[in-house]
Amino acid sequence: VEKALAAGVNVNVRDAGGRTPLLLATQGNHIETARLLVAAGADVNARDDIQDSPYLYAGAHGRTEILRMTLAAGADLKSVNRYGGTALIPACHYGHVETVKALLATKIDIDHANRLGWTALLEAVILGDGGPAHTEIVRLLLAAGANARIADRDGVTPLEHAKRRGFTSMMRLLEGNASR
């Protein structure tokens, strides 16, 4: 990569799928390669044919170190993936606690709803497994001010979803925040 950059290769060149070298490095979790590309001015918001960008992919797949690089390089916090979700929503879905912490340290819209009408909090409960990572994410979201009253399209709140799934630890957290 250093040799290619020194030879003047376009840092934002695209493959047949519209992926840039930085997106490929992010997908492979090649941290040092990503660092070189970001330092060379790679576009952290460049979208491929399925609407992934290095920033969005890093958030969704728990590539926290690369995510921090994209944030420092001007990641668009309002950008959304093909499902209409910000980077925070899939990070919560997949239980990436450290990634969620990094995103909550920004001005990301914590209550943004994706095309399903699910917020990050709903996604952590509905698609989570109720275990320690997802429970910690629910705690982090609530501590950061997530609105626990926002229901899904069927009018079901995060607390009601947690009750239906038998997620007692999440229920306790959500019961204490049901009024905000």
Side-chain angles (χ1 to χ4, degrees):
V1 172
E2 287 174 330
K3 287 179 184 178
L5 292 171
V9 171
N10 178 354
V11 72
N12 292 309
V13 67
R14 308 261 183 161
D15 70 6
R19 295 171 300 192
T20 63
L22 180 56
L23 180 54
L24 292 168
T26 303
Q27 289 171 337
N29 201 27
H30 301 294
I31 295 167
E32 291 311 313
T33 302
R35 192 177 324 282
L36 286 170
L37 292 165
V38 169
D43 184 352
V44 300
N45 298 304
R47 305 290 191 106
D48 69 0
D49 293 352
I50 62 168
Q51 298 306 303
D52 278 335
S53 70
Y55 160 66
L56 289 169
Y57 192 94
H61 293 275
R63 309 286 201 256
T64 307
E65 194 164 346
I66 295 174
L67 175 76
R68 286 188 178 109
M69 289 180 223
T70 67
L71 292 170
D76 179 3
L77 298 176
K78 293 182 181 184
S79 64
V80 295
N81 60 28
R82 62 191 167 277
Y83 306 107
T86 63
L88 181 61
I89 293 174
C92 292
H93 165 182
Y94 292 112
H96 300 305
V97 175
E98 293 306 312
T99 303
V100 169
K101 286 179 184 177
L103 288 165
L104 290 176
T106 70
K107 294 183 186 278
I108 199 161
D109 181 357
I110 196 169
D111 290 323
H112 173 86
N114 64 17
R115 288 194 188 109
L116 293 173
W118 295 353
T119 63
L121 184 57
L122 279 164
E123 193 121 342
V125 177
I126 294 169
L127 297 177
D129 62 7
H134 286 101
T135 301
E136 176 62 6
I137 287 170
V138 167
R139 188 194 69 72
L140 290 166
L141 290 168
L142 293 170
N147 185 338
R149 291 177 289 135
I150 297 175
D152 65 18
R153 288 184 179 157
D154 296 322
V156 182
T157 65
L159 176 57
E160 291 166 345
H161 278 290
K163 285 179 180 177
R164 289 178 181 178
R165 301 202 60 208
F167 295 163
T168 55
S169 296
M170 283 185 185
M171 288 170 23
R172 282 193 292 274
L173 290 169
L174 290 161
E175 285 168 346
N177 289 278
S179 62
R180 54 173 245 220

